[in-house]
Amino acid sequence: SGYLLDAPDTYRERVDAAYRAGWPIALHAIGDAAIDLATEIILSCQEKYGRNALPNRIEHYGIARPDQLEPVAAAGIAVTPQAAFIGPLGDQFAQMVGPEREGWLYRGRSLVDAGILVAGSSDLPVADNNVLRALQSCVDRRTEGGRILGGPEECLTPEEALRSYTEW
Protein backbone atom coordinates (compact mmCIF):
# COMPACT_ATOMS: atom_id res chain seq x y z
CA SER A 1 0.00 0.00 0.00
CA GLY A 2 1.08 3.52 -0.58
CA TYR A 3 0.78 6.68 1.44
CA LEU A 4 -0.70 10.16 1.18
CA LEU A 5 1.45 13.20 1.82
CA ASP A 6 -1.42 14.93 3.62
CA ALA A 7 -4.91 14.25 4.97
CA PRO A 8 -7.65 13.68 2.35
CA ASP A 9 -9.65 16.65 3.66
CA THR A 10 -6.62 18.91 3.24
CA TYR A 11 -6.30 17.79 -0.38
CA ARG A 12 -10.00 18.41 -0.95
CA GLU A 13 -9.76 21.95 0.46
CA ARG A 14 -6.66 22.88 -1.53
CA VAL A 15 -7.92 21.45 -4.80
CA ASP A 16 -11.34 23.03 -4.33
CA ALA A 17 -9.73 26.45 -3.84
CA ALA A 18 -7.56 26.10 -6.96
CA TYR A 19 -10.46 24.79 -9.03
CA ARG A 20 -12.79 27.54 -7.81
CA ALA A 21 -10.14 30.06 -8.93
CA GLY A 22 -10.35 28.64 -12.45
CA TRP A 23 -7.30 26.37 -12.57
CA PRO A 24 -7.45 22.95 -14.22
CA ILE A 25 -6.40 20.27 -11.77
CA ALA A 26 -3.51 17.79 -12.10
CA LEU A 27 -3.37 15.33 -9.21
CA HIS A 28 -0.66 12.69 -8.82
CA ALA A 29 -2.12 9.26 -8.11
CA ILE A 30 -0.30 6.00 -8.66
CA GLY A 31 -2.19 3.36 -6.66
CA ASP A 32 -5.87 2.50 -6.94
CA ALA A 33 -6.77 4.09 -3.57
CA ALA A 34 -5.08 7.33 -4.63
CA ILE A 35 -6.89 7.16 -7.99
CA ASP A 36 -10.20 6.80 -6.12
CA LEU A 37 -9.43 9.91 -4.06
CA ALA A 38 -8.22 11.96 -7.03
CA THR A 39 -11.27 11.01 -9.08
CA GLU A 40 -13.64 11.82 -6.20
CA ILE A 41 -12.04 15.24 -5.65
CA ILE A 42 -12.14 16.18 -9.34
CA LEU A 43 -15.73 14.96 -9.72
CA SER A 44 -16.78 16.98 -6.68
CA CYS A 45 -15.19 20.14 -8.10
CA GLN A 46 -16.75 19.58 -11.53
CA GLU A 47 -20.18 19.07 -9.95
CA LYS A 48 -19.88 22.27 -7.87
CA TYR A 49 -18.25 24.57 -10.42
CA GLY A 50 -18.67 22.92 -13.83
CA ARG A 51 -15.99 21.59 -16.12
CA ASN A 52 -12.90 23.65 -16.91
CA ALA A 53 -12.04 24.66 -20.46
CA LEU A 54 -8.95 22.43 -20.21
CA PRO A 55 -9.28 18.83 -18.99
CA ASN A 56 -8.46 17.97 -15.42
CA ARG A 57 -5.75 15.32 -15.15
CA ILE A 58 -4.59 12.41 -13.07
CA GLU A 59 -0.83 12.04 -13.32
CA HIS A 60 0.47 8.47 -13.51
CA TYR A 61 -2.80 6.55 -13.13
CA GLY A 62 -0.38 3.72 -12.39
CA ILE A 63 -2.46 0.89 -10.90
CA ALA A 64 -6.00 1.40 -12.15
CA ARG A 65 -8.73 -1.15 -11.42
CA PRO A 66 -11.16 -1.94 -14.25
CA ASP A 67 -14.04 -0.20 -12.41
CA GLN A 68 -12.08 3.07 -12.27
CA LEU A 69 -12.00 3.62 -16.03
CA GLU A 70 -15.65 4.45 -16.79
CA PRO A 71 -16.07 7.26 -14.22
CA VAL A 72 -12.85 8.93 -15.40
CA ALA A 73 -13.92 8.67 -19.04
CA ALA A 74 -17.42 10.00 -18.29
CA ALA A 75 -15.96 12.99 -16.42
CA GLY A 76 -13.57 13.89 -19.25
CA ILE A 77 -10.53 13.48 -16.99
CA ALA A 78 -7.23 13.02 -18.84
CA VAL A 79 -4.61 10.57 -17.56
CA THR A 80 -0.86 10.53 -18.07
CA PRO A 81 0.50 7.02 -17.62
CA GLN A 82 4.23 6.98 -18.24
CA ALA A 83 5.02 4.40 -20.92
CA ALA A 84 8.70 5.17 -20.35
CA PHE A 85 8.41 3.31 -17.01
CA ILE A 86 7.55 0.01 -18.73
CA GLY A 87 11.03 -0.91 -19.99
CA PRO A 88 13.22 -0.18 -16.97
CA LEU A 89 10.63 -0.61 -14.17
CA GLY A 90 7.97 -2.96 -15.57
CA ASP A 91 9.43 -6.22 -14.28
CA GLN A 92 9.76 -4.79 -10.77
CA PHE A 93 6.21 -3.37 -10.89
CA ALA A 94 4.76 -6.70 -12.05
CA GLN A 95 6.58 -8.59 -9.31
CA MET A 96 5.38 -6.15 -6.65
CA VAL A 97 1.69 -6.23 -7.59
CA GLY A 98 1.44 -9.90 -8.59
CA PRO A 99 -0.11 -11.55 -11.63
CA GLU A 100 -3.71 -10.78 -10.62
CA ARG A 101 -3.07 -7.00 -10.81
CA GLU A 102 -0.34 -6.80 -13.45
CA GLY A 103 -2.91 -5.89 -16.13
CA TRP A 104 -3.80 -2.78 -14.13
CA LEU A 105 -0.27 -1.30 -14.47
CA TYR A 106 0.18 1.80 -16.63
CA ARG A 107 -2.64 0.73 -18.92
CA GLY A 108 -2.82 1.60 -22.59
CA ARG A 109 -5.48 -0.03 -24.79
CA SER A 110 -8.11 -0.30 -22.03
CA LEU A 111 -7.86 3.45 -21.41
CA VAL A 112 -8.28 4.32 -25.08
CA ASP A 113 -11.14 1.84 -25.47
CA ALA A 114 -12.88 3.35 -22.43
CA GLY A 115 -12.76 6.78 -24.07
CA ILE A 116 -10.20 8.29 -21.69
CA LEU A 117 -7.94 11.04 -22.99
CA VAL A 118 -4.43 9.55 -22.70
CA ALA A 119 -1.60 12.09 -22.68
CA GLY A 120 1.98 10.89 -23.06
CA SER A 121 4.49 11.95 -20.43
CA SER A 122 8.09 11.14 -19.52
CA ASP A 123 8.01 12.06 -15.81
CA LEU A 124 11.55 13.36 -16.23
CA PRO A 125 13.85 13.06 -14.28
CA VAL A 126 12.38 9.81 -12.93
CA ALA A 127 12.30 8.25 -16.38
CA ASP A 128 14.09 8.71 -19.67
CA ASN A 129 12.66 11.57 -21.74
CA ASN A 130 13.40 9.91 -25.09
CA VAL A 131 9.99 10.17 -26.74
CA LEU A 132 10.82 7.57 -29.40
CA ARG A 133 11.51 4.95 -26.72
CA ALA A 134 8.31 5.93 -24.92
CA LEU A 135 6.33 5.58 -28.16
CA GLN A 136 7.85 2.14 -28.67
CA SER A 137 6.86 1.19 -25.12
CA CYS A 138 3.26 2.23 -25.81
CA VAL A 139 3.23 -0.13 -28.77
CA ASP A 140 5.16 -3.15 -27.52
CA ARG A 141 4.95 -2.72 -23.69
CA ARG A 142 8.13 -4.77 -23.40
CA THR A 143 10.06 -4.73 -20.14
CA GLU A 144 13.83 -5.11 -19.94
CA GLY A 145 13.21 -8.76 -18.98
CA GLY A 146 11.16 -9.36 -22.13
CA ARG A 147 7.70 -9.45 -20.51
CA ILE A 148 4.81 -7.69 -22.27
CA LEU A 149 3.51 -5.74 -19.30
CA GLY A 150 -0.20 -6.38 -18.83
CA GLY A 151 -0.26 -8.60 -21.90
CA PRO A 152 -0.57 -7.75 -25.58
CA GLU A 153 -4.17 -6.62 -25.07
CA GLU A 154 -2.85 -3.37 -23.50
CA CYS A 155 -0.66 -2.42 -26.51
CA LEU A 156 -1.52 0.71 -28.50
CA THR A 157 -1.18 1.05 -32.25
CA PRO A 158 1.69 3.23 -33.48
CA GLU A 159 -0.83 5.91 -34.46
CA GLU A 160 -2.45 5.91 -31.00
CA ALA A 161 0.97 6.11 -29.37
CA LEU A 162 1.84 9.12 -31.52
CA ARG A 163 -1.51 10.76 -30.77
CA SER A 164 -0.91 10.29 -27.02
CA TYR A 165 2.22 12.42 -27.30
CA THR A 166 0.76 15.00 -29.68
CA GLU A 167 -2.96 15.46 -30.36
CA TRP A 168 -4.25 13.98 -27.11
Side-chain angles (χ1 to χ4, degrees):
S1 65
Y3 60 92
L4 289 171
L5 297 177
D6 220 327
D9 285 341
T10 302
Y11 281 127
R12 285 184 188 91
E13 291 169 15
R14 289 178 180 160
V15 173
D16 189 89
Y19 198 95
R20 191 173 57 248
W23 290 97
I25 301 304
L27 299 177
H28 285 241
I30 293 176
D32 58 331
I35 290 170
D36 282 337
L37 179 61
T39 303
E40 179 261 310
I41 290 172
I42 292 171
L43 289 174
S44 173
C45 288
Q46 288 184 173
E47 288 170 10
K48 283 193 267 187
Y49 309 112
R51 287 194 185 183
N52 288 327
L54 296 173
N56 296 297
R57 218 169 55 236
I58 299 178
E59 302 293 327
H60 303 299
Y61 209 73
I63 308 171
R65 297 185 317 268
D67 66 293
Q68 292 176 307
L69 278 56
E70 191 281 323
V72 167
I77 299 170
V79 301
T80 58
Q82 283 71 32
F85 288 177
I86 293 172
L89 301 172
D91 291 314
Q92 178 185 3
F93 289 164
Q95 180 182 2
M96 292 176 72
V97 303
E100 66 282 349
R101 296 187 301 161
E102 179 186 333
W104 302 357
L105 289 167
Y106 294 90
R107 293 170 173 268
R109 163 71 38 225
S110 57
L111 299 176
V112 172
D113 288 350
I116 295 174
L117 180 63
V118 180
S121 167
S122 70
D123 203 42
L124 186 71
V126 175
D128 179 353
N129 69 340
N130 184 316
V131 175
L132 294 178
R133 276 197 289 269
L135 292 170
Q136 185 66 45
S137 289
C138 289
V139 174
D140 68 18
R141 299 185 58 84
R142 193 163 305 279
T143 68
E144 287 180 350
R147 155 191 256 123
I148 299 175
L149 190 67
E153 60 273 10
E154 282 296 332
C155 296
L156 297 181
T157 67
E159 181 181 341
E160 290 166 333
L162 182 59
R163 285 174 181 247
S164 77
Y165 278 84
T166 57
E167 177 186 347
W168 298 343

